[in-house]
């Protein structure tokens, strides 16, 4: 180590200094061991730790006897000022058993020292420039600065290791313990090399300098409280480099920055899966399970044996005794070869790879490494102490999960099958999971089952869910606590918030209707009358045909789902909200859509598919909503007939309207044939798109009305190649709606008309997409032109072809 870091040697840490700076790497067992020894030697009056200062009230809970790491401080702040919509910021500050900060807390308490947190609170960090990744909760212990830099890259190469993590292990985790002052001298030299390549402007921009200024103020304030006594300051080594330049004898610091009133900090349990750097965690060390074993002094034989058991995922027999013995010998030999007193993480991984991978590296090797990484990540989950207040919403979730026998231990995802039609307990569990989904809590995901919002899989009577607890589950619940103290209350408030956004925003009735469905599946029956009234008000002024149809469909599905959703209640809510009331609202939405359809004069090209689907749903809903009433059927047919005659906008829509009329018997085969020929004769491209719409709502027309195929065949026989390439994408879309057997029947009819015999199913022929077909034809044309220019045009046509096949070259 001394040779590698020689360039960054500095004055050694002053063993008699009033302010002792201890540079650490987060979650480093070696730093934790040497820090404990240093604190025992210094016996300071105060131990100050790099952590959000507004978390100091939680220190007693972190020191409780029944607090079990991994734990995390979950910090949140909602940025409101100067924003149309508030932006939520959140971050974790994790601790595990071997974190230097955890050891500092526990050792300081044993020594009777004051304990303080000296970093900015989270809100001030964000205001100072700190920005995490959008839509992702990251770590306050981000060590990105220690993972990059030209000098660090040079150190990696000089040490003959693969990355900065292996370099750190080689320099600090694997050597034998030494004098703690000498150890932290080395850590400071390592961090100085990393800081040397940093851009001061970047450090200003990301809030690093503002955080370090706050650390100076709070350390100076602590010196004032303990004059003549020694203070130990535990910070990430990157910050320690800057703090070392401070003249503490002259530094008054000034008053610490006031806390933000909008910032919140909560203690929550954490898990090794999220702590693992290899899972995307932005700070600390990879493979926390491995370093926990190292921290506890576990022999490598135990780790290799555990890996052999884990290997049964790939091999039922696991690992043989001979392989395990060879792996132990290999890992010890590698460690000795590399000069390691302690087994390094990479020593173990290399030994596992060379011993247990029997096949190719890119198949079995990848699988074996995945098993090893999972084992070394560990599965430990923490427990918050009993005296720590649990947010009411988290407590309600825990009680609900226990009531429905859902594991809160994390780990592998579990499957849950619910039969809500027949079992009340399963209905209650389904509502519990749906309420979590409304609150965007990452706990469970529905794999399959009836979807009453989209009208899919309604023939299923069971729901299948996949679920697993993770730290993000708890942090999302903490964040959602602003909506209420129970899942029922919070889900109702969240749906109410979204309803207000729908009413004040784009005012779409279908989105309000979806909220009604969500409330129904969540069992929020007391909210349904209010939501139904809101949907009815938005339907009355809805200006989009597809939105009105979607609202009608969702209302219709709710009315049909009385049994599984328990909408047949007879209490005071049930008297207001009944299936008949929902059907009446659906009828209003249908009539609103009919009015919009009748008044429309054109159809936008960019909404064709949505319009085609909405048109088919609207016509099908007439029978369900009105029970096949003659007047409404006639009204629907009159509106569709007007649409079918339209010539403005997307031609697919009139085609779809004609298909619906033909399917209901309101249009004859002859009328369909005349319309198709007329559209194709008027404009081939528009006619092709018209046919696509026709096939979308009435596939049977392609073989029931023989003149449709004849008209298309006649068109293709008369157009040139360029025109065919223009029509090809639309014709392909038209015919892609047919089933394989239907395509085969169409192909045979066309072949018969052309007098071509067929002996195999045409639908089995491999098809290419339209873009590929266009490119193939373009290449074919270029080839024909080149051959013609060389006088070989007749050869291409098959006349007088050269003997022996194509000419070479």
């Amino acid at each position: 180590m001394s040779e590698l870091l020689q360039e960054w040697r500095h004055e050694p840490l002053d063993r008699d200094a009033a302010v002792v700076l201890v540079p650490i790497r987060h979650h480093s067992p070696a730093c934790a061991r040497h820090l404990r020894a240093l604190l025992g030697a210094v016996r300071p009056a105060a131990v100050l730790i790099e952590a959000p200062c507004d978390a100091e009230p939680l220190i007693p809970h972190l020191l409780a006897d029944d607090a079990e790491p991994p734990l995390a401080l979950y910090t949140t702040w909602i940025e409101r000022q100067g924003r149309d919509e508030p932006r939520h910021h959140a971050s974790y500050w994790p601790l595990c058993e071997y974190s230097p900060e955890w050891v500092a807390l526990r050792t300081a308490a044993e020594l009777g020292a004051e304990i303080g947190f000296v970093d900015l609170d989270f809100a001030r960090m964000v205001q100072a420039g700190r920005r995490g990744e959008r839509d992702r909760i990251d770590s306050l212990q981000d060590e990105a600065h220690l993972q990059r830099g030209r000098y660090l890259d040079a150190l990696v190469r000089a040490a003959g290791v693969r990355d900065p993590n292996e370099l750190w292990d080689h320099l600090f985790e694997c050597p034998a313990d030494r004098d703690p002052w000498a150890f932290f001298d080395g850590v400071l030299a390592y961090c100085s090399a990393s800081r040397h390549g940093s851009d001061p402007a970047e450090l200003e921009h990301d809030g690093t300098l503002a955080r370090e200024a706050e650390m100076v103020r709070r350390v100076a304030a602590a010196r004032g409280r303990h004059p003549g006594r020694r203070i130990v300051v535990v910070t990430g080594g990157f910050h320690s480099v800057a703090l070392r330049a401070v003249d503490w004898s002259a530094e008054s610091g000034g008053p610490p920055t006031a806390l933000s009133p909008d910032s919140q900090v909560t203690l929550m349990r954490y898990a090794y899966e999220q702590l693992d750097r290899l899972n995307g965690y932005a700070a600390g060390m990879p493979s926390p399970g491995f370093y926990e074993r190292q921290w506890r002094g576990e022999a490598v034989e135990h780790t290799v044996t555990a890996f052999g058991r884990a290997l049964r995922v790939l091999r039922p027999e696991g690992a043989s005794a001979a392989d395990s013995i060879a792996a132990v010998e290999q890992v010890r030999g590698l460690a000795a070869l590399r000069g390691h007193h302690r087994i390094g993480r990479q020593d173990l991984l290399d030994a596992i790879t060379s011993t247990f991978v029997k096949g190719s590296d890119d198949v079995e090797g990848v699988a074996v490494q995945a098993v090893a990484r999972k084992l070394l990540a560990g599965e430990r989950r923490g427990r918050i102490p009993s005296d720590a207040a649990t947010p009411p919403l988290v407590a309600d979730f825990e009680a609900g999960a226990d009531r429905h026998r859902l594991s809160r231990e994390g780990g592998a995802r579990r499957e849950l099958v619910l039969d809500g039609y027949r079992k009340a307990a399963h209905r209650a569990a389904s509502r519990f999971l749906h309420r979590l989904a409304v609150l965007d809590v990452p706990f469970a995901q529905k794999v399959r089952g009836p979807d009453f919002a989209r009208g899919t899989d309604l023939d299923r009577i069971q729901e299948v869910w996949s679920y697993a607890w993770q730290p993000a589950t708890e942090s999302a619940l903490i964040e959602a606590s602003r909506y209420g103290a129970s899942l029922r209350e919070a889900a109702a408030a969240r749906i109410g918030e979204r309803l207000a956004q729908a009413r004040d925003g784009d005012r779409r009735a279908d989105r309000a209707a979806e909220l009604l469905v969500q409330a129904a599946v969540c069992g929020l029956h007391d909210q349904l009358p209010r939501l139904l009234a809101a949907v009815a008000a938005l339907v009355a002024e809805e200006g989009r045909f597809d939105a009105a149809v979607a609202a009608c469909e969702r209302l219709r599905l709710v009315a049909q789902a009385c049994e599984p959703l328990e909408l047949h209640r007879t209490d005071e809510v049930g008297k207001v909200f009944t299936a008949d009331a929902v059907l009446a609202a659906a009828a209003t939405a249908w009539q609103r859509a009919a009015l919009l359809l009748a008044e429309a004069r054109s159809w936008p090209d960019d909404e064709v598919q949505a319009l085609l689907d909405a048109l088919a749903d609207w016509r099908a809903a007439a029978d369900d909503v009105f029970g096949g009433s003659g007047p409404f059927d006639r009204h629907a047919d009159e509106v569709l007939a007007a649409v079918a005659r339209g010539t403005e906008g997307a031609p697919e829509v009139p085609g779809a309207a004609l298909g619906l009329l033909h399917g209901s018997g309101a249009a004859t085969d002859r009328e369909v044939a005349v319309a198709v020929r007329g559209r194709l004769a008027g404009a081939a491209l528009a006619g092709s798109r018209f046919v696509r719409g026709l096939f979308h709502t009435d596939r049977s027309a392609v073989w029931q009305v023989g003149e449709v195929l004849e008209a298309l065949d006649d068109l293709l026989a008369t157009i040139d190649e360029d025109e065919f390439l223009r029509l090809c994408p639309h014709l392909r879309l038209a015919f892609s709606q047919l089933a394989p057997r239907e395509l085969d029947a169409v192909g045979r009819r066309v072949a018969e008309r052309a007098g071509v015999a067929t002996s195999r199913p045409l639908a089995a022929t491999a098809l290419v997409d339209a873009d590929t077909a266009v490119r193939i034809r373009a290449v074919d044309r270029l080839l024909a032109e080149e051959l013609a220019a060389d006088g070989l045009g007749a050869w291409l046509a098959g006349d007088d072809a050269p003997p022996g096949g194509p000419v070479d070259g």
Side-chain angles (χ1 to χ4, degrees):
M1 181 177 71
S2 57
E3 294 79 8
L4 287 173
L5 295 174
Q6 188 62 42
E7 182 177 343
W8 298 98
R9 281 297 172 200
H10 47 73
E11 288 295 321
L13 292 171
D14 186 353
R15 302 187 180 213
D16 299 318
V19 176
V20 179
L21 300 175
V22 181
I24 63 166
R25 184 177 180 188
H26 303 298
H27 316 308
S28 161
C31 286
R33 285 194 306 273
H34 289 88
L35 175 60
R36 185 165 54 191
L38 186 145
L39 289 173
V42 174
R43 306 189 70 81
V47 176
L48 306 181
I49 301 168
E50 176 201 334
C53 54
D54 55 341
E56 284 188 344
L58 297 177
I59 290 176
H61 302 305
L62 292 170
L63 297 174
D65 291 339
D66 56 344
E68 293 183 9
L71 300 170
L73 302 176
Y74 177 63
T75 60
T76 63
W77 179 57
I78 299 177
E79 184 180 5
R80 305 180 189 276
Q81 188 173 2
R83 304 186 64 86
D84 294 333
E85 289 192 13
R87 180 179 175 186
H88 179 260
H89 302 268
S91 199
Y92 295 118
W93 190 78
L95 291 164
C96 62
E97 181 181 343
Y98 54 83
S99 295
E101 296 92 338
W102 179 262
V103 170
L105 284 164
R106 293 300 178 114
T107 307
E110 293 170 5
L111 295 173
E114 174 193 332
I115 303 173
F117 292 163
V118 295
D119 207 342
L120 286 170
D121 68 72
F122 180 59
R124 303 300 184 200
M125 289 186 202
V126 176
Q127 293 167 351
R130 185 186 188 280
R131 286 292 184 270
E133 294 186 39
R134 195 168 185 83
D135 300 324
R136 173 179 172 181
I137 305 174
D138 57 5
S139 171
L140 289 178
Q141 298 168 337
D142 187 357
E143 289 183 325
H145 291 301
L146 292 182
Q147 295 292 314
R148 61 175 184 256
R150 286 179 296 179
Y151 193 80
L152 191 60
D153 292 341
L155 281 177
V156 167
R157 291 191 297 272
V161 295
R162 279 155 279 203
D163 56 43
N165 287 321
E166 188 178 356
L167 175 66
W168 174 270
D169 279 5
H170 179 66
L171 295 177
F172 299 105
E173 302 296 335
C174 294
D177 287 349
R178 69 204 86 161
D179 174 75
W181 298 95
F183 174 85
F184 287 116
D185 277 340
V187 174
L188 192 62
Y190 180 91
C191 296
S192 296
S194 300
R195 180 116 188 182
H196 175 73
S198 300
D199 181 0
E202 180 185 353
L203 300 181
E204 176 73 33
H205 181 71
D206 67 12
T208 297
L209 299 186
R211 294 174 61 195
E212 291 168 352
E214 181 68 9
M215 294 175 195
V216 171
R217 288 189 288 268
R218 290 187 175 271
V219 172
R223 288 189 69 241
R225 293 192 299 273
H226 301 282
R229 303 284 304 279
R230 303 184 74 184
I231 294 172
V232 170
V233 183
V234 181
T235 64
F238 193 83
H239 300 302
S240 301
V241 176
L243 298 179
R244 184 174 169 80
V246 176
D247 181 358
W248 296 106
S249 62
E251 179 60 56
S252 61
T257 303
L259 300 182
S260 169
D262 298 324
S263 192
Q264 178 184 357
V265 187
T266 306
L267 182 62
M268 58 172 284
R269 62 179 182 148
Y270 210 61
Y272 275 177
E273 295 98 319
Q274 283 66 41
L275 194 63
D276 188 357
R277 185 180 184 88
L278 297 180
N279 285 337
Y281 174 57
M285 318 275 281
S287 307
F290 168 79
Y291 290 105
E292 181 191 71
R293 293 170 185 269
Q294 190 186 71
W295 169 256
R296 295 182 172 185
E298 183 176 298
V300 69
E301 288 84 353
H302 294 164
T303 306
V304 171
T305 302
F307 173 77
R309 291 193 300 269
L311 199 60
R312 293 193 180 107
V313 174
L314 296 179
R315 305 170 188 161
E317 71 277 9
S320 68
D323 283 344
S324 297
I325 293 171
V328 171
E329 292 177 352
Q330 180 96 290
V331 72
R332 293 195 183 283
L334 284 172
L337 180 66
R338 294 165 177 170
H340 293 168
H341 176 77
R342 286 187 176 84
I343 302 297
R345 170 179 164 273
Q346 200 61 55
D347 298 335
L348 180 60
L349 287 174
D350 289 344
I352 285 173
T353 300
S354 63
T355 306
F356 292 102
V357 177
K358 309 296 185 181
S360 63
D361 287 341
D362 57 352
V363 179
E364 187 179 8
V366 171
V368 168
Q369 287 283 344
V371 173
R373 282 197 300 271
K374 183 176 180 181
L375 172 71
L376 299 187
E379 296 181 346
R380 181 176 294 277
R381 288 160 198 85
R383 186 178 69 180
I384 62 173
S386 56
D387 63 351
T390 301
L393 190 62
V394 176
D396 186 62
F397 161 76
E398 292 174 347
D402 293 344
R403 185 168 58 253
H404 300 302
R405 299 179 180 180
L406 303 175
S407 172
R408 295 185 286 112
E409 293 307 312
R413 298 191 71 84
R414 296 170 171 84
E415 186 176 276
L416 177 69
V417 180
L418 299 175
D419 186 354
Y421 278 79
R422 292 176 288 197
K423 298 180 180 179
H426 287 206
R427 268 198 303 276
S430 174
R431 290 169 180 169
F432 174 80
L433 297 177
H434 277 291
R435 289 170 189 173
L436 291 171
V438 164
L439 294 169
D440 297 320
V441 175
F443 177 69
Q445 180 179 7
K446 191 165 77 171
V447 178
R448 56 185 178 272
D451 187 331
F452 297 104
R454 293 170 178 79
T456 57
D457 293 331
L458 298 183
D459 56 331
R460 295 181 180 273
I461 63 172
Q462 292 183 330
E463 292 180 340
V464 179
W465 294 78
S466 170
Y467 75 95
W469 180 91
Q470 53 186 299
T473 302
E474 199 156 314
S475 60
L477 287 164
I478 293 169
E479 179 186 341
S481 294
R482 65 183 185 273
Y483 291 112
S486 69
L487 286 177
R488 180 186 180 88
E489 178 185 346
R494 183 70 179 103
I495 288 174
E497 180 182 72
R498 289 173 178 166
L499 178 63
Q501 292 169 350
R503 284 191 300 215
D504 299 337
D506 54 17
R507 302 188 63 78
R508 287 188 50 161
D510 57 331
R511 291 176 182 165
E514 185 171 0
L515 295 175
L516 174 71
V517 177
Q518 289 180 354
V521 298
C522 288
L524 305 176
H525 295 95
D526 56 330
Q527 302 295 314
L528 300 180
R530 178 172 68 95
L531 289 164
L532 184 61
V535 173
L538 290 174
V539 162
E541 58 183 63
E542 182 58 68
R544 292 175 57 100
F545 169 72
D546 57 337
V549 173
C552 173
E553 277 292 286
R554 284 165 184 159
L555 291 168
R556 181 176 66 85
L557 291 170
V558 169
Q560 290 179 344
C562 277
E563 187 66 28
L565 299 181
E566 285 192 313
L567 301 183
H568 52 280
R569 294 157 50 111
T570 58
D571 58 11
E572 290 303 314
V573 171
K575 292 176 183 178
V576 179
F577 186 88
T578 64
D580 290 341
V582 180
L583 276 178
T588 301
W590 189 93
Q591 290 169 319
R592 178 65 183 174
L595 178 63
L596 294 170
L597 188 60
E599 292 180 347
R601 294 292 175 265
S602 65
W603 304 95
D605 283 341
D606 58 349
E607 299 178 6
V608 166
Q609 191 58 50
L611 289 168
L612 295 181
D613 293 337
L615 201 59
D617 290 341
W618 174 77
R619 184 61 185 87
D623 291 336
D624 291 330
V625 174
F626 301 110
S629 172
F632 288 102
D633 280 343
R634 287 194 296 273
H635 179 51
D637 290 342
E638 290 169 0
V639 174
L640 288 172
V643 174
R645 293 191 295 270
T647 57
E648 299 292 330
E652 291 90 345
V653 178
L658 181 61
L660 291 170
L661 289 168
H662 184 252
S664 67
T668 65
D669 291 357
R670 179 61 183 164
E671 288 171 329
V672 171
V674 169
V676 170
R677 281 198 178 275
R679 296 275 183 165
L680 291 173
L685 180 61
S688 300
R689 295 176 61 184
F690 180 89
V691 170
R692 174 196 169 191
L694 174 69
F695 288 0
H696 184 81
T697 56
D698 188 21
R699 290 184 349 213
S700 63
V702 74
W703 62 81
Q704 284 186 3
V705 186
E707 288 187 63
V708 171
L709 275 183
E710 293 173 8
L712 286 169
D713 195 31
D714 292 342
L715 171 70
L716 296 177
T718 58
I719 61 176
D720 60 22
E721 186 173 313
D722 289 335
E723 182 69 359
F724 170 76
L725 292 177
R726 281 207 315 135
L727 303 184
C728 185
H730 302 287
L731 291 174
R732 180 177 177 275
L733 285 172
F735 283 99
S736 67
Q737 299 171 103
L738 304 184
R741 295 184 65 179
E742 294 169 339
L743 285 172
D744 187 61
V746 169
R748 291 183 181 278
R749 287 198 179 188
V750 174
E752 289 171 5
R753 191 166 190 260
V756 177
T758 59
S759 59
R760 59 188 175 87
L762 297 177
T765 304
L767 300 176
V768 297
D769 60 72
D771 291 338
T772 302
V774 170
R775 290 196 295 271
I776 289 172
R777 294 299 297 158
V779 171
D780 189 51
R781 182 185 303 167
L782 288 173
L783 179 60
E785 292 172 355
E786 290 293 329
L787 290 173
D790 291 340
L792 297 175
W795 178 84
L796 183 65
D799 300 329
D800 302 322
V807 178
D808 185 13

